[in-house]
Amino acid sequence: MKNKLKAYREALGLSQQRLADAVGVSRQTIISIEKGRYDPSLPLAFQLSREFNCHIEDLFIFED
């Protein structure tokens, strides 16, 4: 699954660590999501979308 997490994070001037702290995960988890190596759980995806005040579909792009 592709994502726009890094672009959203950088647009708000958030560090990976600050975002990780805000949603209750490790910095490594944020790095892995941004690099497309890890797909977040649905609850985490909702937390991230709430953090950026956007829809999950704005952050994550599902590909078959």
Side-chain angles (χ1 to χ4, degrees), residues 2-62:
K2 291 189 177 185
N3 69 77
K4 299 177 187 173
L5 186 60
K6 184 175 182 178
Y8 272 78
R9 180 180 59 77
E10 289 178 343
L12 291 181
L14 290 174
S15 68
Q16 291 169 331
Q17 187 63 59
R18 273 190 77 185
L19 178 57
D21 291 344
V23 296
V25 298
S26 69
R27 180 175 163 265
Q28 188 59 43
T29 298
I30 298 299
I31 291 168
S32 294
I33 294 170
E34 287 183 355
K35 292 186 178 206
R37 293 186 302 211
Y38 173 74
D39 292 334
S41 66
L42 191 54
L44 178 53
F46 272 112
Q47 285 180 291
L48 290 165
S49 67
R50 277 194 300 265
E51 191 67 30
F52 294 113
N53 196 30
C54 68
H55 296 279
I56 289 177
E57 297 87 354
D58 296 334
L59 280 178
F60 300 97
I61 300 105
F62 178 75

